[in-house]
RNA sequence: GGGGAAUUAGCUCAACUGGAAGAGCGCCGCCCUUGCACGGCGGAGGUUGCCGGUUCGACUCCGGUAUUCUCCA
């Protein structure tokens, strides 16, 4: 969202290069003794308390991973968690809010993350201070609040401030002069690209106004003349219009305010330091990096850039892992991996030779402790994740170095000094070896890299990838749902207490469009005002069942959520027709739902048992609760031992056998967490949450459960496996499914016992003994075969003939397969010392031939050449190496003829 | 979601255009030997991830599948 300070353009770099790399001694903060500089934490607190005093509620930062918003990878501004509030789809019980929001930005027009560290103010991770009005106050108050805070609370000198407004926003232009007393030349009118904000092509939008800090007041001119001299510190967005598809802007009935001020740059201004990285927010991190690499920040320009990169990236890394993101090869995890690898790469540039990023987690936690105490709690876990990923990357680099070394030898042998761009790309694309590292090595080893070829290959790959994007079959569905939502439709869920209910159809979607009626055979989405059907959420699959109306009935095959508070029933109309407005009776498939309940409660018990057995670091990383099975993914760095799995299963079953009632309470989030409920981190919860308790297992959960653990029946863990790096999966069955599985296993055991004629508990020993017996017998057979071959060879050796001074042994032998034939021929070859051996055999109706030539003769006779014509005789083909060849054919009757022809081949 | 790779002994990895599955480390046994990565000899350990196809013959080629790595979105 643009409701944020825009990150400075890289062009600033050239202008302020000098201040980017000041002499070491010059790094001190602004030395005004008259005015104690504010610490980052003090700025944050002052901001929140200031707005609290103006009637705002202080709200916690939401996690970096936005909930229920697939369009956004990460929270990138303060307003993200209030999106639905601004749209009027959610009520949080206050019209004024203020936050310090953790944000992450890795791409976008002004902030390619490759720039981070090279400029004074680019970050991937940063904090945004904001105040929000949801249809309450508007421009006048927003401006006067901001001005009061800037000039009276943090006391920035008025003469170094100026503002900008949207060129058509006369109202804001006037207000600044009136409220702040700014002369017109200090209020710049800027165009839409700078000062007009929109959430998307349609929807809420409006003008912005920004407060800027003059970096060099000795220069003449204002923002319009010299934009790069001014540092934007606060952006106020006035959500004023609603833009429709035609581009027409209608005024919103209750205009809103959304503001954002970057904490890091505000601190840099208040502390009088040249870059955000020099603020106290980074003190412990900078100190630790210097300690690790033994270099001094600010001394060497390249090293300083590397340290800044690491400063930034270790914050992103720590917070991302803390919000349950794991490094992976797709989506959010991939972004995390790239950030970490870039940091690791800069570590190498600083001369650090081993994993070090994980050591910075502690420093980040220390620097952010005041506002994010949870980092301390999760520290050991975060460190573990980071270290594992760093080690993985080092392995990747090693592999790449080896490949590069091989290729380097090759180009040197060819007398070239340019590394193929395609090879550099392959190294990068397939093995994750960074291009800049390849270039570095080239520089020291004396070869160039064809970067043009590299970029070409990258472009081809990019086009190929984006073309692969799946056609969005549900695109129309989103629009239809949106229309229903805007009509104020919502579905009340009754399924905690009921499995059937009367309801009214409020929407039917067919082929992505809203229709008024669905006829027999139609595949549709049916939306009702209330429903006992559980819509897939939190891993629990959607319910199935039937919807019956007076004129027809439909079979529900799945239920999904559709945006805020809406459920859609995927159904096929079996007969008759259903219409919007119809009163219907909705019935959930009870048996299926009961099995889901069992599996869901069992999932909680397993989760609890895992914590008991392998510790609190076993964080939930996903789950599936289906009628026939359950799956539970959790973070853990090694395979579980059989004993651990057995222990988890035992604990879970103990809880079942104790028949513990399951209690569900509605509580406030804070109250729930205080009472010890397990909340998933990285998850956003509403103010009121459901707490599901079954004995010692207490979790926040919106799913459906049994009423007593005894109803679950046996819990049987089927296996434990790996899903991704650092994530393990447990699969289990319960109730009837578990019983059937156990019955099956016992039946198999009984069958084995019967076949082996032993009692059930002796089966394992008996099978072991039998396997050993088989092994011994196989050995004995091999020994006997060899003996037989030897005696057969005694006869064959007499058949040696002399062909032009070369010994030739050509004969038909007895052999069961090609391997045996070859072994036999090898024995004969060793016996004759020098010569050619040609053996044929009938192996189960197939003709096999084998030709061996002793090494001293391979320059005159090649086994592969000799065998060709012979193979043709038996109707097949073959070949091999100079000293050994094999062939086969379908005609064993001609074996004698083939072997006889050998002499003529010499 | 789409592309590129990898999967061989307990571990790390070889095996050329399809033609006898190997090395180093580890393990077991024996010998030698009072010290640091001792040395020597011998041995066990393999359904080459799984399923299918092509071929006289597949670790090798083709298709599918699983897992891991990696790039792009």
């Amino acid at each position: 969202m643009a409701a944020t300070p825009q990150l400075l353009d890289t062009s600033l770099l050239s202008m302020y290069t000098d201040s980017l790399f000041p002499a070491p001694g010059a790094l001190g903060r602004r030395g005004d003794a008259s005015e104690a500089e504010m610490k980052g934490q003090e700025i944050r607190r002052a901001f929140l308390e200031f707005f609290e005093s103006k009637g705002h509620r202080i709200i916690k930062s939401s996690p970096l991973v936005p909930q229920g918003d697939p369009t956004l990878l990460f929270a990138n501004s303060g307003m993200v968690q209030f999106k639905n509030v601004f749209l009027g789809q959610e009520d949080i019980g206050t019209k004024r809010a203020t936050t310090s929001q953790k944000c992450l930005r890795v791409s976008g027009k002004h902030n390619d993350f490759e720039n981070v560290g090279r400029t004074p103010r680019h970050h991937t991770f940063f904090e945004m201070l904001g105040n929000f009005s949801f249809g309450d106050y508007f421009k006048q108050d927003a401006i006067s609040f901001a001005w009061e805070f800037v000039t009276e609370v943090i006391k920035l000198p008025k003469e170094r401030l100026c503002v900008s407004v949207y060129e058509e926003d006369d109202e804001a232009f006037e207000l600044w002069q009136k409220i702040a007393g700014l002369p017109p030349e200090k209020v710049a009118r800027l165009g839409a690209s700078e000062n007009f904000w929109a959430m998307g092509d349609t929807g809420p939008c409006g003008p912005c106004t920004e407060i800027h800090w003059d970096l060099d007041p000795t220069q003449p001119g204002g923002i319009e003349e010299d934009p790069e001299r001014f540092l934007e510190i606060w952006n106020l967005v006035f959500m004023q219009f609603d833009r429709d598809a035609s581009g027409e802007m209608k005024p919103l009935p209750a205009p809103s305010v959304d503001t954002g001020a970057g904490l890091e740059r505000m601190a840099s201004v208040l502390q009088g330091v040249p870059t955000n990285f020099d603020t106290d927010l980074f003190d412990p991190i900078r100190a630790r990096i210097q300690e690790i690499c033994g270099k001094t920040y600010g001394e060497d320009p390249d090293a300083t850039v590397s340290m800044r990169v690491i400063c930034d990236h270790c914050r992103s890394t720590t917070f991302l892992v803390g919000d349950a993101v794991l490094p992976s090869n797709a989506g959010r995890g991939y972004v995390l991996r790239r950030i970490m690898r870039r940091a690791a790469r800069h570590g190498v540039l600083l001369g650090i030779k081993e994993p070090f990023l994980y050591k910075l987690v502690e420093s980040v936690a220390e620097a952010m402790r005041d506002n994010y105490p949870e980092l301390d709690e999760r520290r050991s876990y975060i460190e573990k994740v980071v270290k594992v990923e760093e080690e993985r990357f080092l392995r990747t680099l090693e592999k790449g170095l080896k490949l590069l070394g091989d290729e380097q030898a090759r180009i040197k042998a060819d007398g070239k000094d340019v590394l193929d761009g395609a090879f550099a790309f392959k190294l990068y694309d397939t093995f994750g070896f960074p291009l800049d590292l390849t270039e570095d090595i080239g520089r020291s080893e004396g070869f160039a890299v064809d970067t043009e070829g590299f970029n070409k290959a990258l472009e081809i790959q990019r086009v190929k990838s984006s073309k692969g994007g799946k056609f969005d079959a549900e695109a129309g569905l989103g629009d239809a749902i949106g229309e229903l939502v805007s009509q104020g439709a919502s579905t009340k869920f009754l399924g905690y207490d009921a499995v059937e209910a009367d309801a009214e159809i409020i929407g039917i979607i067919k082929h992505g469009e809203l229709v008024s009626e669905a006829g027999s055979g139609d595949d549709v989405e049916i939306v009702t005002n209330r429903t006992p059907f559980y819509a897939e959420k939190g891993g629990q699959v959607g319910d199935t069942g039937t919807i019956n109306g007076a004129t027809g009935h439909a079979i529900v095959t799945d239920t999904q959520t559709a945006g805020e508070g809406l459920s859609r029933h995927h159904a096929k109309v079996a007969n008759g027709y259903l219409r919007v407005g119809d009163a219907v009776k909705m019935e959930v498939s009870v048996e299926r739902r009961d099995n889901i309940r069992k599996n869901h409660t069992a999932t909680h018990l397993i989760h609890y048992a895992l914590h008991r057995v392998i510790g609190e670091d076993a964080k939930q990383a996903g789950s599936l609760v289906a009628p026939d099975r359950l799956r539970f993914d959790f973070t853990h760095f090694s395979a579980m031992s059989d004993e651990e799995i057995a222990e988890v299963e035992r604990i879970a079953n103990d809880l079942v056998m104790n028949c513990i009632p399951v209690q569900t309470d509605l509580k406030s989030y804070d109250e729930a967490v205080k009472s010890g409920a397990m909340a998933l981190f990285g998850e956003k919860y509403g103010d009121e949450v459901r707490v599901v308790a079954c004995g010692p297992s207490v979790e926040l959960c919106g799913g459906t459960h049994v009423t007593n653990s005894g109803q679950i029946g046996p819990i049987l863990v089927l296996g434990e496996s790996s899903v991704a790096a650092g994530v393990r999966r447990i699969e289990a069955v319960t109730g009837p499914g578990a019983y059937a599985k156990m019955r099956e296993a016992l039946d198999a055991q009984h069958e084995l016992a019967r076949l082996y004629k032993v009692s059930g508990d002796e089966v394992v020993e008996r099978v072991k003994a039998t396997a050993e017996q088989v092994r011994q017998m196989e050995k004995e057979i091999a020994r006997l075969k060899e003996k037989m071959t030897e005696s057969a060879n005694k006869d064959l050796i007499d058949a040696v003939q002399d062909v032009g001074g070369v010994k030739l042994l050509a004969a038909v032998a007895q052999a069961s397969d090609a391997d045996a034939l070859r072994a036999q021929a090898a024995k004969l070859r060793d016996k004759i010392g020098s010569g050619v051996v040609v053996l044929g055999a009938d192996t189960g109706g197939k003709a096999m031939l084998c030709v061996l030539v002793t090494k001293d003769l391979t320059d005159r006779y090649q086994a592969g050449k000799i065998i060709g014509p012979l193979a043709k005789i038996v109707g097949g083909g073959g070949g091999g190496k100079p000293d050994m060849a094999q062939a086969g054919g379908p005609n064993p009757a001609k074996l004698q003829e083939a072997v006889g022809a050998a002499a003529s081949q010499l």
Side-chain angles (χ1 to χ4, degrees), chain A residues 278-307:
Chain A
D278 299 299
T279 63
D280 76 300
L281 290 163
F282 289 91
D283 278 346
I285 305 172
R286 269 197 328 266
R288 194 69 215 276
I289 296 171
Q290 295 187 82
E291 192 183 307
I292 292 170
C293 71
K295 296 189 176 165
T296 307
Y297 178 84
E299 223 168 56
D300 167 57
D302 287 340
T304 302
V305 166
S306 289
M307 285 190 222

Side-chain angles (χ1 to χ4, degrees), chain A residues 609 613-614 639-651:
Chain A
V613 175
I614 60 176
M640 287 175 72
S641 68
D642 290 346
E643 291 74 26
E644 286 172 328
I645 296 170
E647 181 65 5
V648 166
E649 194 182 68
R650 190 193 62 75
I651 293 172

Side-chain angles (χ1 to χ4, degrees), chain A residues 575-877:
Chain A
N575 57 52
Y577 60 91
L578 293 170
R579 282 187 172 170
V580 173
D582 278 1
V584 290
K585 189 171 179 69
M586 311 189 63
E587 290 174 65
V588 174
S589 284
V590 177
E591 194 185 330
R592 184 172 179 277
R593 163 70 89 78
D594 280 347
N595 285 328
I596 291 172
R597 287 180 204 272
K598 291 186 207 305
N599 281 336
H600 203 150
T601 309
T603 301
H604 285 205
L605 301 184
I606 289 173
H607 190 182
Y608 164 77
L610 275 169
H611 278 209
R612 280 265 305 271
V613 175
I614 60 176
E616 303 282 319
D617 279 354
K619 309 279 184 203
Q620 174 163 357
S623 93
L624 170 74
V625 178
D628 57 336
R629 68 191 199 282
L630 69 92
R631 211 167 63 193
F632 187 76
D633 296 350
F634 56 100
T635 54
H636 190 53
F637 293 92
S638 55
M640 287 175 72
S641 68
D642 290 346
E643 291 74 26
E644 286 172 328
I645 296 170
E647 181 65 5
V648 166
E649 194 182 68
R650 190 193 62 75
I651 293 172
N653 278 292
D654 259 6
L655 293 169
V656 169
M657 286 182 279
N658 284 329
C659 290
I660 304 164
V662 176
Q663 269 187 312
T664 308
D665 291 309
L666 285 175
K667 286 185 183 173
S668 77
Y669 177 81
D670 291 339
E671 199 185 334
V673 171
K674 218 184 290 164
S675 71
M678 272 196 272
L680 303 183
F681 64 81
E683 193 97 0
K684 184 189 168 194
Y685 293 95
D687 284 342
E688 207 180 44
V689 291
R690 290 179 72 83
V691 178
V692 176
C694 179
S697 153
V698 184
E699 281 190 50
L700 303 189
C701 178
T704 60
H705 290 269
V706 295
T707 54
N708 185 298
S709 65
Q711 294 160 9
I712 296 170
I715 297 176
L716 188 63
V717 174
L718 296 182
E720 189 260 6
S721 58
S722 162
V723 230
V727 183
R728 311 290 305 178
R729 168 173 293 174
I730 273 196
E731 292 181 86
V733 288
T734 68
Y739 176 77
K741 267 268 187 277
M742 291 191 276
R743 186 70 259 165
E744 212 175 280
L746 273 179
D747 286 349
Q749 193 199 21
H750 286 153
E751 180 69 4
L752 281 174
R754 203 178 56 77
L755 289 169
Y756 278 111
K757 298 189 172 53
V758 293
S759 70
D761 45 6
E762 287 168 5
V763 165
V764 172
E765 277 311 308
R766 185 54 187 268
V767 170
K768 269 191 199 159
T770 307
E772 178 59 22
Q773 209 177 339
V774 169
R775 230 170 61 89
Q776 293 302 329
M777 286 164 81
E778 276 172 349
K779 275 190 173 172
E780 183 67 13
I781 288 169
R783 216 171 50 80
L784 288 172
K785 264 192 178 167
E786 198 167 324
K787 260 199 168 152
M788 282 166 66
T789 308
E790 258 170 48
S791 66
N793 284 355
K794 261 183 204 145
D795 300 335
L796 287 175
I797 203 89
D798 299 337
V800 173
Q801 26 179 326
D802 192 296
V803 181
V806 174
K807 282 192 215 167
L808 169 68
L809 196 162
V812 175
Q814 301 286 323
S816 54
D817 57 57
D819 279 348
L821 186 70
R822 192 183 52 235
Q824 187 172 359
K827 283 232 156 60
L828 288 167
R829 179 198 56 197
D830 295 344
K831 251 182 199 156
I832 62 176
S834 168
V836 178
V837 176
V838 177
L839 279 193
D842 180 347
T843 59
K846 231 178 179 181
M848 291 298 314
L849 290 167
C850 178
V851 177
L852 296 181
V853 178
T854 54
K855 294 265 185 203
D856 56 319
L857 297 175
T858 48
D859 50 340
R860 286 166 62 193
Y861 307 112
Q862 283 83 42
K865 284 188 184 157
I866 295 171
I867 208 163
L870 308 189
K872 277 212 183 85
I873 296 172
V874 292

